[in-house]
Amino acid sequence: MQRLKDEFVGIGIYAECDGVKGQQMFVDVADNAKGISAAVRARFDTSRIANRTLSDVVTHPLFLGKVDIERDRMTLTNRNLMGAKHVADITRAVIAGPGGRVSKKVESLTDNEVIESVRSFLDVLSIAFTALAEITEEDVDNYDPSLSEKKNEPPTPRTKAMELRESSLLGSVGVLRVLGGVYRNLREGGAEDGDIQEFFKRLDPHMVAPVTEDSIWRTTAANEDFEMNAFAPIMRQQNFVHLTKVITDWYKKAPTAI
């Protein structure tokens, strides 16, 4: 106790009037510290284009009010669709492919170009996949964090995002990243959004989870990327790249099932 009374701790204070620069400083410090979630880094980090455009991307109706800005993991009790870091991951997939490596060419894109591309992808998803269309139309008030279940209180109605994670591959951010890469590949190949939307609609009935032995994810080349009874693809970079190529190839030569 005497040591606590006698010793001192030095504190360095840096006054930064610019709020954006202050957030970037927070991220730079967090890169060398513990306890800062990737979701918070994604929100504050303006050095990467996928993070810098985050605040505009999350205003899309599919995401608005349904993104957890603090946590990275989507547990069964989390009412949100995904975390802020996951939105940035999807953005990278749309602009840079499933590998997510942002080249100098990609970084040279304007923020508006990136926002427009990602929002167009989200428009396609929201129409092509029934479950995502329902989340897009769902009342945002259902996602109010104050509705989270508490001890000794009756359970609140579950969100459609919570149900999605328990019944569909679309509840996996990995699948959405792959679809983002497929969208990018097809757009670069000359496909229009309407054509991609129709292609994704044909995939919709096959998004049921868990994966069964007779599903297209196990009876085609995609079997390298899915295990039996899985709710998501194998979350390795090489699997993301492979699965993206497989689905992209289906656009021109699809399995009989689709």
Side-chain angles (χ1 to χ4, degrees), residues 61 66 132-140:
K66 303 157 191 163
L132 296 182
E134 290 177 353
I135 291 175
T136 301
E137 297 297 328
E138 189 177 9
D139 191 338
V140 176

Side-chain angles (χ1 to χ4, degrees), residues 62 66 81 125-138 143 159-171 176 200 204-205 207-208:
L62 177 60
K66 303 157 191 163
L81 177 60
L125 285 187
S126 299
I127 297 172
F129 295 104
T130 305
L132 296 182
E134 290 177 353
I135 291 175
T136 301
E137 297 297 328
E138 189 177 9
Y143 290 81
T159 64
K160 292 189 181 298
M162 297 169 78
E163 296 172 354
L164 185 75
R165 286 195 288 275
E166 295 181 353
S167 61
S168 173
L169 295 176
L170 295 167
L176 298 181
F200 282 177
D204 192 22
M207 289 296 174
V208 178

Side-chain angles (χ1 to χ4, degrees), residues 3 47 50-51 86 91 104 110 157-158 170 187 195 197 202 254:
R3 285 184 63 193
S47 65
N51 296 339
H86 304 138
T91 296
K104 289 183 179 179
T110 67
R158 289 149 51 80
L170 295 167
R187 286 291 295 171
D195 298 326
Q197 182 177 296
R202 290 157 55 197

